[in-house]
């Protein structure tokens, strides 16, 4: 008898719910909140952000002001160039602690997810994922990622309410030192959970 053919890659598409649950409890910070979520489904041919990389103009605006429009524009350009498939957008969280969720479609041709939110107020600090594939082997996976705080490298402010201090030239994106523990490990301020529907 002939062996059964093995599946190659994930099914053509999948539907997901992403839920963001944040627990930011730093005392004494006025009006703690999280900006609207913005990101993309995309291929491995594009990298919207990564640790050690540098912020694009649109990413800098998101990280410093929370405005998603310019980064959305960069995603739309990537869609036109064939390296991204869709814009991901969700509501912000109006307090330091809270949650938000939305559903989206993803395709095996563009199985990676990037999704970010500004920590506000802050100079240029944000949380999120960059270029995580939801297709592992031949399976669309579900899972939860810890939300660690990153510094976009574009503003040299050292406290939550520091005045604007442009970093020129920009530094590489890295973990924000205020949220790295004494053991050198970044601390979590929440979770992002992807559930296949």
């Amino acid at each position: 008898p002939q062996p059964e053919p093995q599946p190659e890659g994930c099914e053509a598409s999948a539907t997901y719910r992403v839920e963001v649950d944040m627990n930011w409890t730093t005392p004494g910070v006025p009006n703690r909140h999280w900006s609207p979520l913005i990101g993309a489904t995309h291929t491995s041919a594009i990298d919207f952000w990564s640790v050690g990389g540098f912020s694009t103009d649109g990413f800098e605006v998101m990280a410093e002001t929370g405005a998603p429009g310019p980064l959305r524009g960069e995603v739309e350009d990537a869609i036109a160039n064939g390296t991204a498939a869709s814009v991901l957008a969700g509501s912000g969280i109006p307090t330091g602690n809270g949650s938000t969720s939305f559903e989206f479609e993803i395709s095996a041709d563009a199985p990676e997810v990037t999704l970010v939110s500004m920590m506000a107020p802050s100079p240029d600090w944000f949380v999120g994922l960059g270029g995580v594939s939801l297709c592992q082997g031949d399976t669309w996976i579900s899972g939860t990622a810890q939300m660690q705080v990153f510094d976009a490298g574009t503003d040299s402010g050292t406290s939550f309410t520091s005045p604007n201090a442009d970093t020129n030239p920009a530094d590489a994106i890295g973990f924000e030192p205020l949220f790295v523990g004494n053991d050198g490990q970044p601390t979590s301020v929440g979770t992002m959970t992807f559930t296949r529907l």
Side-chain angles (χ1 to χ4, degrees):
Q2 293 296 314
E4 288 293 315
Q6 293 299 306
E8 292 185 13
C10 291
E11 294 175 37
S13 64
T15 303
Y16 275 86
R17 175 185 299 112
V18 56
E19 181 168 354
V20 182
D21 294 290
M22 302 308 294
N23 182 33
W24 172 21
T25 57
T26 308
V29 181
N31 188 27
R32 288 192 306 264
H33 64 283
W34 301 95
S35 77
L37 292 159
I38 185 68
T41 63
H42 58 96
T43 73
S44 59
I46 192 167
D47 183 14
F48 289 101
W49 76 275
S50 60
V51 172
F54 291 87
S55 293
T56 61
D57 291 344
F59 203 87
E60 177 177 1
V61 171
M62 180 284 303
E64 292 187 6
T65 73
L71 184 53
R72 173 188 280 269
E74 292 176 359
V75 173
E76 290 169 346
D77 289 345
I79 293 170
N81 293 333
T83 55
S86 64
V87 174
L88 296 183
S91 61
I93 299 173
T95 59
N97 304 330
S99 62
T100 185
S101 65
F102 64 92
E103 295 178 9
F104 65 95
E105 297 281 333
I106 193 165
S107 72
D109 295 334
E112 295 194 4
V113 168
T114 291
L115 191 61
V116 290
S117 173
M118 178 200 178
M119 170 181 257
S122 76
D124 60 345
W125 306 341
F126 69 96
V127 297
L129 297 180
V132 173
S133 180
L134 296 180
C135 174
Q136 300 291 326
D138 59 6
T139 303
W140 289 109
I141 62 166
S142 297
T144 298
Q146 298 299 316
M147 290 294 96
Q148 296 150 342
V149 182
F150 298 94
D151 185 310
T154 58
D155 188 303
S156 296
T158 57
S159 68
F160 294 98
T161 54
S162 292
N164 284 336
D166 188 53
T167 306
N168 191 8
D171 292 329
I173 296 170
F175 291 108
E176 167 48 42
L178 285 181
F179 289 89
V180 174
N182 293 332
D183 59 0
Q185 297 300 308
T187 56
S188 174
V189 293
T191 58
M192 189 178 286
T193 300
F194 292 85
T195 304
R196 187 184 179 189
L197 302 179

